[in-house]
PDB file of all heavy atoms in Angstrom:
ATOM      1  N   THR A 653     -23.456  29.128 -20.602  1.00 92.00           N
ATOM      2  CA  THR A 653     -22.270  28.229 -20.329  1.00 92.00           C
ATOM      3  C   THR A 653     -22.862  26.952 -19.594  1.00 92.00           C
ATOM      4  O   THR A 653     -23.586  26.970 -18.759  1.00 92.00           O
ATOM      5  CB  THR A 653     -21.367  28.919 -19.239  1.00 92.00           C
ATOM      6  OG1 THR A 653     -20.947  30.301 -19.859  1.00 92.00           O
ATOM      7  CG2 THR A 653     -20.054  28.051 -19.008  1.00 92.00           C
ATOM      8  N   THR A 654     -22.303  25.747 -20.076  1.00 93.00           N
ATOM      9  CA  THR A 654     -22.711  24.526 -19.590  1.00 93.00           C
ATOM     10  C   THR A 654     -21.791  24.049 -18.578  1.00 93.00           C
ATOM     11  O   THR A 654     -20.414  24.301 -18.699  1.00 93.00           O
ATOM     12  CB  THR A 654     -22.761  23.480 -20.771  1.00 93.00           C
ATOM     13  OG1 THR A 654     -21.480  23.451 -21.578  1.00 93.00           O
ATOM     14  CG2 THR A 654     -23.949  23.796 -21.701  1.00 93.00           C
ATOM     15  N   LEU A 655     -22.269  23.404 -17.582  1.00 93.00           N
ATOM     16  CA  LEU A 655     -21.314  22.830 -16.527  1.00 93.00           C
ATOM     17  C   LEU A 655     -21.351  21.336 -16.602  1.00 93.00           C
ATOM     18  O   LEU A 655     -22.500  20.690 -16.618  1.00 93.00           O
ATOM     19  CB  LEU A 655     -21.850  23.383 -15.218  1.00 93.00           C
ATOM     20  CG  LEU A 655     -20.923  22.967 -13.984  1.00 93.00           C
ATOM     21  CD1 LEU A 655     -20.939  24.130 -12.987  1.00 93.00           C
ATOM     22  CD2 LEU A 655     -21.483  21.756 -13.207  1.00 93.00           C
ATOM     23  N   TYR A 656     -20.304  20.660 -16.532  1.00 93.00           N
ATOM     24  CA  TYR A 656     -20.113  19.144 -16.630  1.00 93.00           C
ATOM     25  C   TYR A 656     -19.439  18.668 -15.316  1.00 93.00           C
ATOM     26  O   TYR A 656     -18.492  19.325 -14.833  1.00 93.00           O
ATOM     27  CB  TYR A 656     -19.406  18.685 -17.758  1.00 93.00           C
ATOM     28  CG  TYR A 656     -20.036  19.080 -19.177  1.00 93.00           C
ATOM     29  CD1 TYR A 656     -19.694  20.308 -19.762  1.00 93.00           C
ATOM     30  CD2 TYR A 656     -20.895  18.279 -19.764  1.00 93.00           C
ATOM     31  CE1 TYR A 656     -20.217  20.713 -20.962  1.00 93.00           C
ATOM     32  CE2 TYR A 656     -21.579  18.622 -21.020  1.00 93.00           C
ATOM     33  CZ  TYR A 656     -21.163  19.707 -21.561  1.00 93.00           C
ATOM     34  OH  TYR A 656     -21.751  20.083 -22.802  1.00 93.00           O
ATOM     35  N   ARG A 657     -19.771  17.558 -14.862  1.00 92.00           N
ATOM     36  CA  ARG A 657     -19.044  16.851 -13.882  1.00 92.00           C
ATOM     37  C   ARG A 657     -18.095  15.944 -14.557  1.00 92.00           C
ATOM     38  O   ARG A 657     -18.385  15.107 -15.412  1.00 92.00           O
ATOM     39  CB  ARG A 657     -19.947  16.017 -12.891  1.00 92.00           C
ATOM     40  CG  ARG A 657     -20.714  16.906 -11.958  1.00 92.00           C
ATOM     41  CD  ARG A 657     -21.671  16.011 -11.130  1.00 92.00           C
ATOM     42  NE  ARG A 657     -20.978  14.893 -10.502  1.00 92.00           N
ATOM     43  CZ  ARG A 657     -20.278  15.035  -9.383  1.00 92.00           C
ATOM     44  NH1 ARG A 657     -20.331  16.200  -8.702  1.00 92.00           N
ATOM     45  NH2 ARG A 657     -19.691  14.071  -8.686  1.00 92.00           N
ATOM     46  N   ARG A 658     -16.718  16.088 -14.136  1.00 92.00           N
ATOM     47  CA  ARG A 658     -15.815  15.247 -14.876  1.00 92.00           C
ATOM     48  C   ARG A 658     -15.879  13.649 -14.642  1.00 92.00           C
ATOM     49  O   ARG A 658     -15.593  12.952 -15.561  1.00 92.00           O
ATOM     50  CB  ARG A 658     -14.321  15.662 -14.330  1.00 92.00           C
ATOM     51  CG  ARG A 658     -13.232  15.018 -15.273  1.00 92.00           C
ATOM     52  CD  ARG A 658     -11.933  15.801 -15.022  1.00 92.00           C
ATOM     53  NE  ARG A 658     -10.846  15.238 -15.937  1.00 92.00           N
ATOM     54  CZ  ARG A 658      -9.606  15.621 -15.968  1.00 92.00           C
ATOM     55  NH1 ARG A 658      -9.331  16.690 -15.118  1.00 92.00           N
ATOM     56  NH2 ARG A 658      -8.727  15.122 -16.820  1.00 92.00           N
ATOM     57  N   ASP A 659     -16.438  13.431 -13.542  1.00 90.00           N
ATOM     58  CA  ASP A 659     -16.842  11.914 -13.326  1.00 90.00           C
ATOM     59  C   ASP A 659     -17.706  11.350 -14.299  1.00 90.00           C
ATOM     60  O   ASP A 659     -17.756  10.116 -14.592  1.00 90.00           O
ATOM     61  CB  ASP A 659     -17.399  11.684 -11.844  1.00 90.00           C
ATOM     62  CG  ASP A 659     -16.453  12.098 -10.746  1.00 90.00           C
ATOM     63  OD1 ASP A 659     -15.174  12.041 -11.066  1.00 90.00           O
ATOM     64  OD2 ASP A 659     -16.875  12.224  -9.576  1.00 90.00           O
ATOM     65  N   ASN A 660     -18.518  12.197 -14.999  1.00 91.00           N
ATOM     66  CA  ASN A 660     -19.463  11.735 -15.894  1.00 91.00           C
ATOM     67  C   ASN A 660     -19.014  11.711 -17.412  1.00 91.00           C
ATOM     68  O   ASN A 660     -19.653  11.228 -18.235  1.00 91.00           O
ATOM     69  CB  ASN A 660     -20.734  12.591 -15.869  1.00 91.00           C
ATOM     70  CG  ASN A 660     -21.511  12.562 -14.556  1.00 91.00           C
ATOM     71  OD1 ASN A 660     -21.386  11.473 -13.974  1.00 91.00           O
ATOM     72  ND2 ASN A 660     -22.256  13.532 -14.092  1.00 91.00           N
ATOM     73  N   LEU A 661     -17.761  12.027 -17.580  1.00 93.00           N
ATOM     74  CA  LEU A 661     -17.150  12.100 -18.975  1.00 93.00           C
ATOM     75  C   LEU A 661     -16.584  10.849 -19.248  1.00 93.00           C
ATOM     76  O   LEU A 661     -16.186  10.007 -18.354  1.00 93.00           O
ATOM     77  CB  LEU A 661     -16.096  13.231 -19.032  1.00 93.00           C
ATOM     78  CG  LEU A 661     -16.455  14.671 -18.664  1.00 93.00           C
ATOM     79  CD1 LEU A 661     -15.316  15.588 -18.812  1.00 93.00           C
ATOM     80  CD2 LEU A 661     -17.649  15.147 -19.556  1.00 93.00           C
ATOM     81  N   ARG A 662     -16.651  10.494 -20.579  1.00 93.00           N
ATOM     82  CA  ARG A 662     -16.165   9.254 -21.069  1.00 93.00           C
ATOM     83  C   ARG A 662     -15.174   9.593 -22.150  1.00 93.00           C
ATOM     84  O   ARG A 662     -15.060  10.666 -22.769  1.00 93.00           O
ATOM     85  CB  ARG A 662     -17.225   8.422 -21.620  1.00 93.00           C
ATOM     86  CG  ARG A 662     -18.298   7.987 -20.589  1.00 93.00           C
ATOM     87  CD  ARG A 662     -17.655   7.054 -19.629  1.00 93.00           C
ATOM     88  NE  ARG A 662     -18.648   6.670 -18.532  1.00 93.00           N
ATOM     89  CZ  ARG A 662     -18.837   7.172 -17.419  1.00 93.00           C
ATOM     90  NH1 ARG A 662     -17.958   8.174 -17.075  1.00 93.00           N
ATOM     91  NH2 ARG A 662     -19.759   6.898 -16.538  1.00 93.00           N
ATOM     92  N   ALA A 663     -14.300   8.602 -22.508  1.00 92.00           N
ATOM     93  CA  ALA A 663     -13.182   8.720 -23.565  1.00 92.00           C
ATOM     94  C   ALA A 663     -13.966   9.033 -24.916  1.00 92.00           C
ATOM     95  O   ALA A 663     -14.917   8.476 -25.240  1.00 92.00           O
ATOM     96  CB  ALA A 663     -12.445   7.372 -23.773  1.00 92.00           C
ATOM     97  N   GLY A 664     -13.416  10.065 -25.573  1.00 91.00           N
ATOM     98  CA  GLY A 664     -13.928  10.518 -26.843  1.00 91.00           C
ATOM     99  C   GLY A 664     -14.965  11.686 -26.841  1.00 91.00           C
ATOM    100  O   GLY A 664     -15.300  12.184 -27.804  1.00 91.00           O
ATOM    101  N   ASP A 665     -15.378  12.026 -25.646  1.00 93.00           N
ATOM    102  CA  ASP A 665     -16.269  13.040 -25.419  1.00 93.00           C
ATOM    103  C   ASP A 665     -15.676  14.454 -25.866  1.00 93.00           C
ATOM    104  O   ASP A 665     -14.482  14.638 -25.635  1.00 93.00           O
ATOM    105  CB  ASP A 665     -16.779  13.141 -23.936  1.00 93.00           C
ATOM    106  CG  ASP A 665     -17.776  12.075 -23.480  1.00 93.00           C
ATOM    107  OD1 ASP A 665     -18.374  11.437 -24.494  1.00 93.00           O
ATOM    108  OD2 ASP A 665     -18.051  11.965 -22.381  1.00 93.00           O
ATOM    109  N   VAL A 666     -16.538  15.240 -26.480  1.00 93.00           N
ATOM    110  CA  VAL A 666     -15.987  16.482 -26.905  1.00 93.00           C
ATOM    111  C   VAL A 666     -16.883  17.595 -26.298  1.00 93.00           C
ATOM    112  O   VAL A 666     -18.172  17.583 -26.352  1.00 93.00           O
ATOM    113  CB  VAL A 666     -16.034  16.615 -28.465  1.00 93.00           C
ATOM    114  CG1 VAL A 666     -15.615  18.093 -28.814  1.00 93.00           C
ATOM    115  CG2 VAL A 666     -15.098  15.662 -29.040  1.00 93.00           C
ATOM    116  N   LEU A 667     -16.372  18.553 -25.619  1.00 93.00           N
ATOM    117  CA  LEU A 667     -17.021  19.604 -24.900  1.00 93.00           C
ATOM    118  C   LEU A 667     -16.763  20.859 -25.599  1.00 93.00           C
ATOM    119  O   LEU A 667     -15.634  21.212 -25.921  1.00 93.00           O
ATOM    120  CB  LEU A 667     -16.679  19.773 -23.448  1.00 93.00           C
ATOM    121  CG  LEU A 667     -16.529  18.480 -22.622  1.00 93.00           C
ATOM    122  CD1 LEU A 667     -16.088  18.724 -21.198  1.00 93.00           C
ATOM    123  CD2 LEU A 667     -17.882  17.713 -22.604  1.00 93.00           C
ATOM    124  N   SER A 668     -17.795  21.715 -25.928  1.00 92.00           N
ATOM    125  CA  SER A 668     -17.647  22.870 -26.676  1.00 92.00           C
ATOM    126  C   SER A 668     -17.867  24.199 -25.764  1.00 92.00           C
ATOM    127  O   SER A 668     -18.711  24.131 -24.929  1.00 92.00           O
ATOM    128  CB  SER A 668     -18.748  23.028 -27.734  1.00 92.00           C
ATOM    129  OG  SER A 668     -18.466  24.218 -28.457  1.00 92.00           O
ATOM    130  N   GLY A 669     -16.826  25.051 -25.773  1.00 80.00           N
ATOM    131  CA  GLY A 669     -16.935  26.161 -24.871  1.00 80.00           C
ATOM    132  C   GLY A 669     -17.949  27.271 -25.336  1.00 80.00           C
ATOM    133  O   GLY A 669     -18.423  27.291 -26.468  1.00 80.00           O
ATOM    134  N   PRO A 670     -18.397  28.079 -24.373  1.00 92.00           N
ATOM    135  CA  PRO A 670     -17.946  28.133 -23.059  1.00 92.00           C
ATOM    136  C   PRO A 670     -18.537  27.114 -22.152  1.00 92.00           C
ATOM    137  O   PRO A 670     -19.706  26.789 -22.338  1.00 92.00           O
ATOM    138  CB  PRO A 670     -18.492  29.469 -22.561  1.00 92.00           C
ATOM    139  CG  PRO A 670     -19.725  29.770 -23.357  1.00 92.00           C
ATOM    140  CD  PRO A 670     -19.380  29.076 -24.721  1.00 92.00           C
ATOM    141  N   ALA A 671     -17.652  26.505 -21.285  1.00 93.00           N
ATOM    142  CA  ALA A 671     -18.180  25.437 -20.392  1.00 93.00           C
ATOM    143  C   ALA A 671     -17.284  25.312 -19.119  1.00 93.00           C
ATOM    144  O   ALA A 671     -16.142  25.938 -19.171  1.00 93.00           O
ATOM    145  CB  ALA A 671     -18.094  24.013 -21.231  1.00 93.00           C
ATOM    146  N   ILE A 672     -17.739  24.731 -18.082  1.00 93.00           N
ATOM    147  CA  ILE A 672     -16.964  24.524 -16.862  1.00 93.00           C
ATOM    148  C   ILE A 672     -17.067  23.039 -16.568  1.00 93.00           C
ATOM    149  O   ILE A 672     -18.062  22.426 -16.606  1.00 93.00           O
ATOM    150  CB  ILE A 672     -17.647  25.333 -15.715  1.00 93.00           C
ATOM    151  CG1 ILE A 672     -17.569  26.732 -15.975  1.00 93.00           C
ATOM    152  CG2 ILE A 672     -16.904  24.953 -14.453  1.00 93.00           C
ATOM    153  CD1 ILE A 672     -18.298  27.626 -14.945  1.00 93.00           C
TER     154      ILE A 672
END
Side-chain angles (χ1 to χ4, degrees):
T653 305
T654 51
L655 186 146
Y656 299 90
R657 285 177 54 85
R658 191 163 183 179
D659 292 345
N660 296 333
L661 300 180
R662 299 291 180 267
D665 283 348
V666 177
L667 315 179
S668 184
I672 295 174

